[in-house]
Amino acid sequence: MTGLSDEDLQARLQAYLNCLELCRVLHKQTDEPGVKAALDSLIGDLHEILASLASYLRQRGVAPGTHQLDRQGKAQIREVLGTRSLLEQLRVVRRSLADLAAWYDRHPPSDRSDPGDRDWLASLLAQTQRMLGEWDQHMREMRATPF
């Protein structure tokens, strides 16, 4: 076991869902083809992670339930919609991805964790870090600093 409770995993599911919805809103908001393409890729990756989290919860006997945007997700969307600067909008997505990646540093698997669970968690972290790296690269191509 990763040492994470079902509630921790459902909170992860919620955080990834918030990021997904943020990306969907920005995708609808922008007319920039390069941004739309980057968001398409990111949206696909987020769907994969959400499916993995939901499957893992089901394996643990927990119904993942139906999640909707929470307060934090709505605040991020308001922030994106409240600015006309595409670069600032890209930074909001970047912060969301960085928060997702940083969570894993704060919740490392315990030494007593099942190796399969540790591997699964490590794969989620690797995928999240890859998404963040690709987003940073996209921002550099747009001549925007990620921070």
Side-chain angles (χ1 to χ4, degrees), residues 81-147:
L81 295 176
T83 182
R84 295 220 184 263
S85 166
L86 178 59
L87 299 180
E88 283 304 314
Q89 292 172 338
L90 298 179
R91 287 184 184 114
V92 173
V93 172
R94 200 252 178 228
R95 277 194 311 271
S96 180
L97 290 169
D99 288 346
L100 290 172
W103 180 88
Y104 293 92
D105 292 334
R106 295 187 308 270
H107 297 87
S110 72
D111 293 337
R112 298 182 318 252
S113 300
D114 177 86
D117 291 340
R118 280 195 309 265
D119 291 346
W120 172 76
L121 200 58
S123 74
L124 289 183
L125 170 59
Q127 190 171 3
T128 303
Q129 289 173 328
R130 181 186 51 77
M131 289 186 308
L132 178 59
E134 288 174 358
W135 192 255
D136 284 349
Q137 178 61 34
H138 173 71
M139 289 186 69
R140 283 189 291 278
E141 290 168 3
M142 299 271 307
R143 302 203 192 291
T145 57
F147 311 101

